[in-house]
Amino acid sequence: MDTRAWDEQELGRLRADFGGWRIWRAVKSDGRLGEWVASLHDPRVGVEPTVMLPTARLLREALVTQAERACRR
């Protein structure tokens, strides 16, 4: 599987798992894919308005942490 196809599948998984966020890949000025980005749309599922990280795995971990923080409020 090529990188773009894997990215699309991972985006789908992240979006399915974290429905209160808008999730996408940033695009650099040269057209290459950049950071994994999540923008909070439901304050019940997170705290920070935007989360940006270099990998899908790190973004997933951060969104789990966001959910835990939101539950403690």
Side-chain angles (χ1 to χ4, degrees):
M1 175 182 320
D2 70 13
T3 302
R4 281 216 190 244
W6 183 87
D7 284 356
E8 287 300 319
Q9 285 185 350
E10 189 58 25
L11 278 171
R13 286 188 288 267
L14 285 165
R15 289 171 177 156
D17 293 344
F18 301 98
W21 296 85
R22 180 172 172 262
I23 301 171
W24 74 96
R25 287 292 304 274
V27 179
K28 297 179 180 184
S29 60
D30 63 5
R32 293 183 299 141
L33 291 173
E35 299 280 299
W36 293 76
V37 183
S39 176
L40 183 62
H41 283 254
D42 182 350
R44 295 174 295 177
V45 300
V47 178
E48 302 297 327
T50 305
V51 179
M52 295 177 60
L53 290 158
T55 67
R57 181 183 58 80
L58 290 175
L59 182 61
R60 177 175 292 282
E61 291 171 4
L63 295 179
V64 168
T65 300
Q66 287 289 307
E68 292 167 353
R69 289 179 64 197
C71 285
R72 291 192 299 258
R73 288 191 288 175

